[in-house]
Amino acid sequence: MMTSLGRGIATGYLIFVALGLIIAFGVLWSTKAGRRDKGQGVDIERAERAEPWWGVFVVVLLAILLGLTIWRAPWFSEDDSPKDVQVKVTGMQFGFLVQPTTVRVGQHVEFNVASKDVNHAMGLYNPEGQMIMNVEAVPGYTTSRSYLFTEPGSYTIRCLEFCGYQHHKMIYPAFQVTA
Amino acid sequence: MTTTTLPPAPAGALPYDDSEMPLALVQAKTRRFVLRVIWTSSAFLVIAGILGLLLRLRQGEVITLGDNFWYAIMTAHGLGAFVAWAGFFLMGITFWVLMKVGFPLRSFVLPEVMYWSMVLGVVGIVLTTLLAGFAGSWVFLYPLPFFSAGQWSDTVTGVFAFSVLLAGVSILAYCAAVLHTTISPALKATKDTLGQRIALAFGFGLLFPSRFKTTRGKEPYPVLPFAVNAVDMFLATLPFALLLVFEIIQSTGRGFSINVLLAGNLLWAFGHPVVYLLLFPAAATYYYLIPRYAGRELVAGKAVAVAWLIALTMNLFVWAHHLYMNYPDGQNVQQSLGTIMQPTTYALVLPSALSLYSIAATIWRSNFQWNVASKFLVAGIVSWLVAGLQGVINATAAFQETLHNTLWIVGHFHNMAFLNMGLLIFGAMYAFLPELMGKPWWNERLGSWHLWGTIIGAYGWVTCQMIQGLEGAPRRWAVLPDQYLTLTHVSLGFLALLVAAQLVFAYNLWTTLRKSPFDDPSAVQVRGGTQA
């Protein structure tokens, strides 16, 4: 099941793919007319003059996307306000050490993610199986990421950075969020 | 539908034509060399393809494989499919396209170094992964190669790193050969100085025609992506080579180690540009072939030259988008790199967007010749658009919480590598092999089956992976959680179709190779097609 962000990405992607396919189909269909007039019915110079404007259009679209999203980059999303509880998550081949293992609904939790050996990543999945958090665990460093829990239940932590032959078994099955 | 024979360049329509062919001897040597690369890279595809199929069959719980062996296969598959097949093929075909646009190889030493170092490197990679158990993935993220959990030794890591370094030597030799070929007298600069040649090779003649003159009239557009790629890959391969040398030293047990964040940056300083080792030569090949089928010159002006200059510079400053999720506390430099490299990555959209515009404008209302080769090319171009849109999503840091290290990424790069560059490679084989082998394709209709089986099979498969990724399916898991099993089984059906299509292609190729050469490629009746 997708998260709301995942659904948003999928929707935006499909809209642009559909637009692109319509344009591509139009271009290919135009070769029918080209066959009739032996490809002579096109003003090539006009098409060349229009190319920079197509470039400008693409730049404007990308600038809008940049303006809308860059402030939501993970490293900008964290604030310095005090959190209700700190949870230390340490990755090691092939398991997670989690302390404490239980928090309450409504608590603003800061996860301090670290690694004892190689790169790992903490993928946090809610009881519905949606991935709600994704944090890299870099050896020698701590990465902090906070989350406000609104739903009780048993959450799962999976390793999302390839870490060796038991990578797929690196699961912490029951991080508890109580009502 | 016409046959797959490549149409001749229309007289006067192109800024270059076959009258600029080099001496017959150079042409014959280039033909033999390019064919050797095509057959060798195709053999690598067979191996890498089988390995990839095994990976997905295990994920679908159809077969069982040992855990470390699965990851060793994953490592070999990634390097084999991406570098040893697609990259190597496009490196080889580069010299054929360059010769066709009037830039013959000036020496065969560098291409031979390119060939043999790649072959030896691939042999080393196969041995260290499939036999010695190295399973660090194709990015072997430091320090994992030295934390094998008892599955392989540091010596194996050293040999693996040396093998990858040999592949890097191959890329460096290729870059040097391309620059030696393009920054050459073939540019026909009016003032034949090194500065003028360099400026012309990188498109300044298109931007400032009165300042940088050539007696060619207009430099061929395919030269631009080849030259840009050669410079970028040369610069990008060096830091990666440094990382590999560090790892080889560490494997000897001298107590040497590297900062993990630095290693990540060195890796991705190469790891992202290497995508363009495939895409830029692919763009150049589209620039060459599409005008041939459209019967008119590539519709391109100064904007394309500007776009390639942007690619030349920005390509080297995008690596940190692979490290968006590495933002440890207090590491402001890494976070700043992430902030800077989202817009620089976006800038790399321009060469693709403008190339797609040029290609679309070239096809628009042209008397386009539809055959298997041109259909493969058009399908590859559409995939370039689709995968490019995915690329914009991947370049957006805010989306990484949902996408990073999920199967979405795996779906994306298969969409780009197999359905864009891969379809171009098949299109180039259908287009070029008749003149390279001196014989036509045996059966045009089988080519159509190959086309549709590949498109439907591959799109079905990558779409399943992308949906799984959006649902949070982790990447590089030998055994996926049960919630993703249904879509894995669906994707296996599409993969079966994809494999069947490749078997059809192999049969067509095998039968073609056994046929006698023809004398006149323009007057051959091809089974299942119409007369040219």
Side-chain angles (χ1 to χ4, degrees):
Chain A
M1 188 191 296
M2 292 181 200
T3 60
S4 58
L5 178 58
R7 284 194 297 275
I9 292 169
T11 305
Y13 167 66
L14 289 176
I15 288 171
F16 275 94
V17 167
L19 287 172
L21 290 180
I22 289 168
I23 293 168
F25 185 75
V27 170
L28 300 181
W29 190 259
S30 75
T31 59
K32 276 181 169 292
R35 187 163 298 121
R36 284 195 297 274
D37 59 27
K38 302 290 182 196
Q40 300 303 311
V42 183
D43 184 346
I44 300 288
E45 287 184 4
R46 189 177 164 198
E48 285 183 356
R49 283 198 304 273
E51 189 162 29
W53 294 106
W54 163 247
V56 170
F57 175 69
V58 171
V59 168
V60 169
L61 279 185
L62 291 170
I64 292 170
L65 183 61
L66 179 69
L68 290 174
T69 61
I70 191 67
W71 308 111
R72 294 172 183 270
W75 53 91
F76 287 133
S77 305
E78 291 299 304
D79 59 45
D80 294 332
S81 62
K83 306 299 184 294
D84 299 316
V85 59
Q86 308 276 324
V87 175
K88 186 161 179 57
V89 179
T90 306
M92 65 196 78
Q93 290 176 321
F94 295 96
F96 287 105
L97 199 63
V98 182
Q99 294 172 315
T101 58
T102 303
V103 298
R104 289 196 310 277
V105 166
Q107 284 188 319
H108 206 169
V109 177
E110 183 174 82
F111 291 93
N112 305 128
V113 184
S115 167
K116 279 195 168 178
D117 38 47
V118 299
N119 291 276
H120 300 279
M122 171 192 163
L124 183 64
Y125 292 74
N126 68 15
E128 284 78 46
Q130 297 171 316
M131 185 169 69
I132 56 172
M133 185 186 286
N134 186 343
V135 187
E136 286 280 323
V138 185
Y141 300 92
T142 298
T143 305
S144 300
R145 191 86 172 106
S146 58
Y147 189 81
L148 178 63
F149 284 94
T150 58
E151 187 186 353
S154 182
Y155 289 63
T156 305
I157 299 173
R158 294 181 179 130
C159 183
L160 258 70
E161 187 63 75
F162 178 60
C163 61
Y165 83 113
Q166 299 286 280
H167 171 54
H168 57 282
K169 294 177 182 169
M170 190 165 157
I171 300 169
Y172 188 84
F175 180 72
Q176 299 297 332
V177 179
T178 57
Chain B
M1 186 169 68
T2 57
T3 69
T4 49
T5 307
L6 187 61
L14 294 171
Y16 47 87
D17 58 37
D18 290 353
S19 66
E20 299 218 14
M21 280 288 173
L23 295 170
L25 179 62
V26 177
Q27 194 177 353
K29 282 185 77 172
T30 306
R31 173 186 282 123
R32 284 199 296 273
F33 176 78
V34 171
L35 270 175
R36 180 153 40 103
V37 175
I38 289 175
W39 302 140
T40 310
S41 59
S42 298
F44 292 153
L45 168 65
V46 173
I47 298 167
I50 291 169
L51 295 179
L53 187 63
L54 291 175
L55 294 177
R56 201 64 174 160
L57 286 169
R58 172 67 189 96
Q59 283 186 323
E61 299 178 1
V62 177
I63 61 171
T64 54
L65 294 168
D67 288 338
N68 194 67
F69 190 53
W70 191 91
Y71 290 112
I73 287 175
M74 180 187 77
T75 307
H77 166 73
L79 283 166
F82 202 80
V83 180
W85 170 52
F88 195 31
F89 180 99
L90 287 160
M91 286 156 72
I93 210 75
T94 293
F95 300 113
W96 189 250
V97 175
L98 279 173
M99 195 179 69
K100 299 289 283 183
V101 298
F103 287 75
L105 270 166
R106 297 162 68 198
S107 161
F108 285 85
V109 174
L110 287 168
E112 289 295 342
V113 172
M114 171 198 114
Y115 179 85
W116 287 109
S117 54
M118 179 63 81
V119 169
L120 290 173
V122 171
V123 169
I125 289 165
V126 168
L127 292 177
T128 49
T129 52
L130 301 185
L131 292 184
F134 182 87
S137 89
W138 81 284
V139 298
F140 44 102
L141 201 56
Y142 187 85
L144 179 60
F146 299 99
F147 284 82
S148 74
Q151 300 302 303
W152 66 86
S153 66
D154 285 357
T155 304
V156 170
T157 291
V159 177
F160 174 82
F162 181 72
S163 303
V164 177
L165 190 60
L166 281 175
V169 169
S170 173
I171 293 170
L172 291 173
Y174 163 77
C175 296
V178 169
L179 292 175
H180 186 239
T181 308
T182 52
I183 302 175
S184 72
L187 285 162
K188 298 189 186 304
T190 310
K191 278 187 266 179
D192 197 15
T193 63
L194 182 62
Q196 286 277 329
R197 285 186 191 178
I198 291 171
L200 281 167
F202 291 97
F204 284 91
L206 298 166
L207 291 171
F208 310 106
S210 58
R211 175 78 178 79
F212 303 102
K213 289 181 187 167
T214 165
T215 56
R216 298 181 68 105
K218 206 175 181 184
E219 75 174 285
Y221 284 103
V223 171
L224 270 174
F226 284 137
V228 165
N229 179 53
V231 170
D232 280 350
M233 283 315 302
F234 201 91
L235 295 175
T237 302
L238 293 178
F240 180 58
L242 189 65
L243 175 64
L244 290 169
V245 170
F246 284 157
E247 294 193 13
I248 291 168
I249 295 170
Q250 188 171 348
S251 73
T252 61
R254 295 178 194 276
F256 185 88
S257 65
I258 324 163
N259 176 278
V260 174
L261 276 179
L262 173 65
N265 283 279
L266 288 173
L267 167 72
W268 289 114
F270 166 85
H272 189 80
V274 77
V275 175
Y276 302 121
L277 175 67
L278 280 63
L279 183 59
F280 291 0
T285 310
Y286 284 129
Y287 284 5
Y288 174 71
L289 285 173
I290 290 297
R292 298 292 289 267
Y293 291 112
R296 63 164 68 121
E297 191 179 343
L298 185 75
V299 178
K302 293 183 176 182
V304 166
V306 172
W308 285 108
L309 287 176
I310 291 172
L312 177 69
T313 48
M314 289 303 158
N315 194 10
L316 298 170
F317 301 100
V318 298
W319 76 84
H321 70 238
H322 288 272
L323 297 163
Y324 278 152
M325 303 309 285
N326 291 46
Y327 51 94
D329 300 348
Q331 296 303 307
N332 295 333
V333 172
Q334 197 63 47
Q335 296 171 10
S336 300
L337 283 174
T339 307
I340 292 165
M341 292 195 184
Q342 180 169 329
T344 55
T345 308
Y346 280 2
L348 280 181
V349 173
L350 270 179
S352 288
L354 291 169
S355 294
L356 289 170
Y357 176 94
S358 283
I359 290 167
T362 305
I363 296 173
W364 176 258
R365 289 196 66 153
S366 68
N367 187 14
F368 200 78
Q369 292 191 39
W370 289 105
N371 57 33
V372 170
S374 63
K375 285 178 183 173
F376 261 103
L377 295 172
V378 166
I381 290 161
V382 173
S383 294
W384 188 358
L385 169 70
V386 172
L389 291 169
Q390 297 157 11
V392 173
I393 291 169
N394 296 345
T396 305
F399 299 158
Q400 295 314 302
E401 197 100 73
T402 296
L403 303 177
H404 183 66
N405 276 342
T406 68
L407 283 180
W408 163 278
I409 303 296
V410 182
H412 160 68
F413 68 65
H414 281 99
N415 201 150
M416 181 55 91
F418 191 79
L419 280 160
N420 174 10
M421 277 79 97
L423 293 185
L424 167 91
I425 286 171
F426 289 129
M429 287 182 83
Y430 281 110
F432 287 134
L433 277 182
E435 62 183 13
L436 284 166
M437 298 187 299
K439 58 180 80 175
W441 280 93
W442 175 62
N443 194 314
E444 185 88 1
R445 193 171 294 125
L446 288 184
S448 289
W449 292 4
H450 177 216
L451 172 74
W452 290 108
T454 301
I455 291 174
I456 296 169
Y459 262 110
W461 150 53
V462 300
T463 302
C464 287
Q465 284 190 317
M466 292 173 71
I467 294 170
Q468 288 177 308
L470 284 168
E471 291 179 340
R475 174 186 184 184
R476 297 187 178 124
W477 273 40
V479 183
L480 287 167
D482 288 345
Q483 69 198 79
Y484 306 111
L485 198 55
T486 303
L487 268 178
T488 301
H489 285 154
V490 173
S491 75
L492 283 174
F494 285 110
L495 272 174
L497 177 61
L498 179 64
V499 171
Q502 306 324 302
L503 292 175
V504 168
F505 173 66
Y507 178 68
N508 198 10
L509 180 61
W510 175 251
T511 312
T512 301
L513 286 170
R514 293 176 60 204
K515 301 288 281 186
S516 304
F518 60 63
D519 295 325
D520 180 6
S522 63
V524 170
Q525 177 69 47
V526 178
R527 201 175 297 185
T530 55
Q531 199 153 7

Coordinates of all heavy atoms in Angstrom, one line a residue, chain B residues 138-194:
Chain B
W138 N 27.1 -4.1 -7.0 CA 27.9 -3.5 -8.0 C 28.4 -2.1 -7.6 O 29.3 -1.6 -8.2 CB 27.2 -3.4 -9.3 CG 26.2 -2.3 -9.6 CD1 25.0 -2.2 -9.0 CD2 26.4 -1.1 -10.4 NE1 24.4 -1.0 -9.5 CE2 25.2 -0.4 -10.3 CE3 27.5 -0.7 -11.2 CZ2 25.1 0.8 -11.0 CZ3 27.3 0.5 -11.8 CH2 26.1 1.3 -11.7
V139 N 27.9 -1.6 -6.5 CA 28.5 -0.3 -5.9 C 29.4 -0.6 -4.8 O 30.1 0.3 -4.3 CB 27.4 0.7 -5.5 CG1 26.6 1.1 -6.7 CG2 26.5 0.2 -4.4
F140 N 29.4 -1.8 -4.3 CA 30.3 -2.3 -3.2 C 30.6 -1.1 -2.2 O 31.8 -0.8 -2.0 CB 31.6 -3.0 -3.7 CG 32.3 -2.3 -4.8 CD1 33.4 -1.6 -4.6 CD2 31.9 -2.5 -6.1 CE1 34.1 -1.0 -5.6 CE2 32.5 -1.9 -7.2 CZ 33.7 -1.1 -6.9
L141 N 29.6 -0.7 -1.6 CA 29.6 0.5 -0.7 C 30.6 0.3 0.4 O 30.4 -0.5 1.3 CB 28.2 0.8 -0.2 CG 27.9 2.2 0.3 CD1 28.2 3.3 -0.8 CD2 26.4 2.3 0.7
Y142 N 31.6 1.1 0.4 CA 32.7 1.1 1.5 C 32.0 1.3 2.9 O 31.2 2.2 3.0 CB 33.7 2.1 1.2 CG 34.9 2.0 2.1 CD1 36.0 1.1 1.8 CD2 35.0 2.8 3.2 CE1 37.1 1.0 2.6 CE2 36.1 2.7 4.0 CZ 37.2 1.8 3.7 OH 38.3 1.7 4.5
P143 N 32.4 0.5 3.9 CA 33.4 -0.5 4.0 C 32.9 -1.9 3.8 O 33.6 -2.8 4.2 CB 33.9 -0.3 5.4 CG 32.7 0.1 6.2 CD 31.8 0.9 5.2
L144 N 31.8 -2.1 3.2 CA 31.2 -3.5 3.1 C 32.2 -4.5 2.5 O 32.3 -5.6 3.0 CB 29.9 -3.5 2.3 CG 29.3 -4.8 2.0 CD1 28.9 -5.5 3.3 CD2 28.0 -4.6 1.2
P145 N 33.0 -4.2 1.5 CA 33.9 -5.2 1.0 C 34.9 -5.8 2.0 O 35.4 -6.9 1.8 CB 34.7 -4.4 -0.1 CG 33.8 -3.3 -0.5 CD 33.1 -2.9 0.7
F146 N 35.0 -5.1 3.1 CA 35.9 -5.6 4.2 C 35.2 -6.1 5.4 O 35.7 -6.4 6.4 CB 36.9 -4.5 4.6 CG 37.8 -4.1 3.5 CD1 37.5 -2.9 2.7 CD2 38.9 -4.9 3.1 CE1 38.3 -2.6 1.7 CE2 39.7 -4.5 2.0 CZ 39.4 -3.4 1.3
F147 N 33.8 -6.2 5.3 CA 33.0 -6.8 6.3 C 32.1 -7.8 5.7 O 30.9 -7.7 5.5 CB 32.1 -5.7 6.9 CG 32.8 -4.8 7.9 CD1 33.5 -3.7 7.4 CD2 32.7 -5.0 9.3 CE1 34.2 -2.8 8.3 CE2 33.4 -4.1 10.2 CZ 34.1 -3.1 9.7
S148 N 32.7 -8.9 5.3 CA 32.0 -10.0 4.5 C 31.2 -10.9 5.4 O 30.6 -11.8 4.8 CB 33.0 -10.7 3.6 OG 33.8 -11.6 4.4
A149 N 31.4 -10.8 6.7 CA 30.7 -11.8 7.6 C 31.1 -13.2 7.3 O 30.3 -14.1 7.3 CB 29.2 -11.6 7.6
G150 N 32.4 -13.4 6.9 CA 32.9 -14.7 6.6 C 32.6 -15.3 5.3 O 32.9 -16.4 5.0
Q151 N 32.1 -14.5 4.4 CA 31.7 -15.0 3.1 C 32.8 -14.9 2.0 O 32.7 -15.6 1.0 CB 30.4 -14.3 2.6 CG 29.2 -14.4 3.5 CD 28.9 -15.9 3.7 OE1 28.6 -16.6 2.8 NE2 28.9 -16.3 5.0
W152 N 33.7 -14.0 2.1 CA 34.8 -13.9 1.2 C 36.0 -13.2 2.0 O 35.8 -12.6 3.0 CB 34.5 -13.1 -0.1 CG 34.1 -11.7 0.2 CD1 35.0 -10.6 0.2 CD2 32.9 -11.1 0.3 NE1 34.4 -9.4 0.4 CE2 33.0 -9.7 0.5 CE3 31.5 -11.6 0.4 CZ2 32.0 -8.8 0.7 CZ3 30.5 -10.7 0.6 CH2 30.7 -9.3 0.8
S153 N 37.2 -13.4 1.4 CA 38.4 -12.8 2.1 C 38.7 -11.5 1.6 O 38.2 -11.0 0.5 CB 39.6 -13.8 1.8 OG 39.9 -13.8 0.5
D154 N 39.6 -10.8 2.3 CA 40.1 -9.5 1.8 C 40.8 -9.6 0.5 O 40.8 -8.7 -0.3 CB 41.0 -8.8 2.9 CG 40.2 -8.3 4.1 OD1 38.9 -8.4 4.0 OD2 40.8 -7.8 5.0
T155 N 41.5 -10.7 0.3 CA 42.2 -10.9 -0.9 C 41.3 -10.9 -2.1 O 41.5 -10.3 -3.2 CB 43.0 -12.3 -0.9 OG1 43.8 -12.3 0.2 CG2 43.8 -12.5 -2.1
V156 N 40.1 -11.6 -1.9 CA 39.1 -11.6 -3.0 C 38.6 -10.2 -3.2 O 38.4 -9.8 -4.4 CB 37.9 -12.5 -2.6 CG1 36.7 -12.3 -3.5 CG2 38.4 -14.0 -2.6
T157 N 38.5 -9.4 -2.2 CA 38.1 -8.0 -2.3 C 39.1 -7.3 -3.2 O 38.8 -6.5 -4.1 CB 38.0 -7.3 -1.0 OG1 36.8 -7.8 -0.3 CG2 37.8 -5.8 -1.1
G158 N 40.4 -7.5 -2.9 CA 41.5 -6.9 -3.7 C 41.4 -7.2 -5.1 O 41.6 -6.4 -6.0
V159 N 41.2 -8.5 -5.4 CA 41.2 -9.0 -6.8 C 40.0 -8.4 -7.5 O 40.0 -8.0 -8.7 CB 41.2 -10.5 -6.9 CG1 41.1 -11.0 -8.3 CG2 42.4 -11.1 -6.2
F160 N 38.8 -8.4 -6.8 CA 37.6 -7.8 -7.4 C 37.9 -6.3 -7.7 O 37.5 -5.9 -8.8 CB 36.5 -7.9 -6.4 CG 35.2 -7.2 -6.8 CD1 34.3 -7.8 -7.7 CD2 34.9 -5.9 -6.4 CE1 33.2 -7.2 -8.2 CE2 33.7 -5.3 -6.8 CZ 32.9 -5.9 -7.7
A161 N 38.4 -5.6 -6.7 CA 38.7 -4.1 -7.0 C 39.6 -4.0 -8.2 O 39.5 -3.1 -9.0 CB 39.3 -3.5 -5.7
F162 N 40.6 -4.8 -8.3 CA 41.6 -4.8 -9.4 C 40.8 -5.0 -10.7 O 41.1 -4.4 -11.8 CB 42.7 -5.8 -9.2 CG 43.7 -5.7 -10.3 CD1 44.6 -4.6 -10.5 CD2 43.8 -6.7 -11.3 CE1 45.5 -4.6 -11.5 CE2 44.7 -6.7 -12.3 CZ 45.6 -5.6 -12.4
S163 N 39.9 -6.0 -10.7 CA 39.1 -6.3 -11.9 C 38.3 -5.1 -12.4 O 38.2 -4.8 -13.5 CB 38.2 -7.5 -11.7 OG 39.0 -8.6 -11.2
V164 N 37.7 -4.5 -11.4 CA 36.8 -3.3 -11.7 C 37.8 -2.2 -12.2 O 37.4 -1.4 -13.1 CB 36.0 -2.8 -10.5 CG1 35.2 -1.6 -10.8 CG2 35.1 -3.9 -10.0
L165 N 39.0 -2.1 -11.6 CA 39.9 -1.1 -12.1 C 40.3 -1.3 -13.6 O 40.4 -0.4 -14.3 CB 41.2 -1.2 -11.2 CG 42.2 0.0 -11.4 CD1 41.6 1.3 -11.1 CD2 43.4 -0.3 -10.5
L166 N 40.4 -2.6 -13.9 CA 40.7 -2.9 -15.4 C 39.5 -2.4 -16.2 O 39.8 -1.9 -17.3 CB 40.8 -4.4 -15.5 CG 42.2 -5.0 -15.1 CD1 42.2 -6.5 -15.3 CD2 43.3 -4.4 -16.0
A167 N 38.3 -2.6 -15.8 CA 37.1 -2.0 -16.6 C 37.3 -0.5 -16.6 O 36.9 0.1 -17.7 CB 35.8 -2.4 -15.9
G168 N 37.8 0.1 -15.5 CA 38.0 1.5 -15.5 C 39.1 1.9 -16.5 O 38.9 2.9 -17.2
V169 N 40.1 1.1 -16.6 CA 41.2 1.4 -17.6 C 40.6 1.3 -19.0 O 40.9 2.1 -19.9 CB 42.3 0.3 -17.5 CG1 43.3 0.4 -18.7 CG2 43.1 0.6 -16.2
S170 N 39.7 0.4 -19.2 CA 39.0 0.3 -20.5 C 38.3 1.6 -20.9 O 38.3 2.1 -22.0 CB 38.0 -0.9 -20.5 OG 37.2 -1.0 -21.7
I171 N 37.6 2.1 -19.9 CA 36.8 3.3 -20.1 C 37.8 4.5 -20.4 O 37.5 5.3 -21.3 CB 35.9 3.6 -18.9 CG1 34.8 2.6 -18.7 CG2 35.3 5.0 -18.9 CD1 34.0 2.6 -17.4
L172 N 38.9 4.5 -19.6 CA 39.9 5.6 -19.9 C 40.4 5.5 -21.3 O 40.6 6.5 -22.0 CB 41.0 5.6 -18.8 CG 40.6 5.9 -17.4 CD1 41.7 5.7 -16.4 CD2 40.2 7.4 -17.3
A173 N 40.7 4.3 -21.7 CA 41.3 4.1 -23.1 C 40.3 4.5 -24.1 O 40.6 5.1 -25.1 CB 41.7 2.6 -23.3
Y174 N 39.0 4.2 -23.8 CA 37.9 4.6 -24.8 C 37.9 6.1 -24.9 O 37.8 6.7 -26.0 CB 36.6 4.0 -24.3 CG 35.4 4.6 -24.9 CD1 35.0 4.3 -26.1 CD2 34.6 5.6 -24.1 CE1 33.8 4.9 -26.7 CE2 33.5 6.2 -24.7 CZ 33.1 5.8 -26.0 OH 32.0 6.4 -26.5
C175 N 37.9 6.8 -23.7 CA 37.8 8.2 -23.7 C 38.9 8.8 -24.5 O 38.7 9.8 -25.3 CB 37.8 8.8 -22.3 SG 36.4 8.3 -21.3
A176 N 40.1 8.3 -24.3 CA 41.3 8.8 -25.0 C 41.2 8.6 -26.5 O 41.5 9.5 -27.3 CB 42.6 8.2 -24.4
A177 N 40.7 7.4 -26.9 CA 40.5 7.1 -28.3 C 39.5 8.0 -28.9 O 39.7 8.5 -30.1 CB 40.1 5.6 -28.5
V178 N 38.4 8.3 -28.2 CA 37.4 9.2 -28.8 C 37.9 10.6 -29.0 O 37.7 11.2 -30.0 CB 36.1 9.2 -27.9 CG1 35.1 10.3 -28.3 CG2 35.4 7.9 -27.9
L179 N 38.7 11.1 -28.0 CA 39.2 12.5 -28.1 C 40.2 12.5 -29.2 O 40.3 13.5 -29.9 CB 39.8 12.9 -26.7 CG 38.8 13.1 -25.6 CD1 39.5 13.4 -24.3 CD2 37.8 14.2 -26.0
H180 N 41.1 11.5 -29.3 CA 42.1 11.4 -30.4 C 41.4 11.4 -31.7 O 41.9 11.9 -32.7 CB 42.9 10.1 -30.2 CG 44.1 10.0 -31.1 ND1 44.3 9.0 -31.9 CD2 45.1 10.8 -31.3 CE1 45.4 9.1 -32.6 NE2 45.9 10.3 -32.3
T181 N 40.2 10.8 -31.8 CA 39.5 10.7 -33.1 C 38.8 11.9 -33.4 O 38.7 12.3 -34.6 CB 38.5 9.5 -33.0 OG1 39.3 8.3 -32.6 CG2 37.9 9.2 -34.4
T182 N 38.2 12.6 -32.4 CA 37.3 13.7 -32.7 C 38.1 15.0 -32.8 O 37.8 15.9 -33.6 CB 36.2 13.8 -31.7 OG1 36.8 13.8 -30.4 CG2 35.2 12.7 -31.8
I183 N 39.0 15.2 -31.9 CA 39.8 16.5 -31.9 C 40.9 16.2 -32.9 O 42.1 16.0 -32.6 CB 40.4 16.8 -30.5 CG1 39.2 16.9 -29.5 CG2 41.1 18.1 -30.5 CD1 39.6 17.2 -28.1
S184 N 40.6 16.2 -34.2 CA 41.5 15.7 -35.2 C 41.3 16.5 -36.5 O 40.5 17.4 -36.6 CB 41.1 14.3 -35.5 OG 39.8 14.3 -36.2
P185 N 42.2 16.2 -37.5 CA 42.1 16.9 -38.8 C 40.7 16.7 -39.4 O 40.3 17.5 -40.3 CB 43.2 16.3 -39.6 CG 44.1 15.7 -38.6 CD 43.3 15.3 -37.5
A186 N 40.0 15.7 -39.0 CA 38.7 15.4 -39.6 C 37.7 16.6 -39.4 O 36.7 16.7 -40.1 CB 38.1 14.1 -39.1
L187 N 38.0 17.4 -38.4 CA 37.1 18.5 -38.2 C 37.3 19.6 -39.3 O 36.4 20.4 -39.5 CB 37.5 19.2 -36.8 CG 37.1 18.5 -35.6 CD1 37.8 19.0 -34.4 CD2 35.6 18.7 -35.3
K188 N 38.4 19.5 -40.0 CA 38.7 20.4 -41.1 C 38.5 21.9 -40.7 O 37.8 22.7 -41.4 CB 37.7 20.1 -42.3 CG 37.9 18.7 -42.9 CD 37.2 18.5 -44.1 CE 37.2 17.0 -44.6 NZ 38.6 16.5 -44.8
A189 N 39.2 22.2 -39.6 CA 39.2 23.5 -39.1 C 39.9 24.4 -40.1 O 41.0 24.1 -40.6 CB 39.9 23.6 -37.7
T190 N 39.4 25.6 -40.3 CA 40.0 26.5 -41.3 C 41.4 26.9 -40.8 O 42.3 26.9 -41.5 CB 39.1 27.8 -41.4 OG1 37.8 27.4 -41.7 CG2 39.6 28.7 -42.6
K191 N 41.4 27.3 -39.5 CA 42.7 27.5 -38.8 C 43.0 26.2 -38.0 O 42.4 26.1 -36.9 CB 42.6 28.7 -37.9 CG 42.8 30.0 -38.6 CD 42.9 31.2 -37.6 CE 41.6 31.8 -37.4 NZ 41.6 32.9 -36.5
D192 N 43.8 25.4 -38.5 CA 44.0 24.0 -37.8 C 44.9 24.1 -36.6 O 46.0 23.5 -36.7 CB 44.4 23.0 -38.9 CG 44.2 21.6 -38.4 OD1 43.4 21.4 -37.4 OD2 44.7 20.7 -39.0
T193 N 44.5 24.7 -35.6 CA 45.2 24.7 -34.3 C 44.5 23.8 -33.3 O 43.3 23.5 -33.5 CB 45.3 26.1 -33.7 OG1 44.0 26.6 -33.4 CG2 46.0 27.1 -34.7
L194 N 45.2 23.4 -32.3 CA 44.6 22.6 -31.3 C 43.4 23.2 -30.6 O 42.3 22.6 -30.4 CB 45.6 22.2 -30.2 CG 45.1 21.2 -29.1 CD1 44.7 19.9 -29.7 CD2 46.2 21.0 -28.0

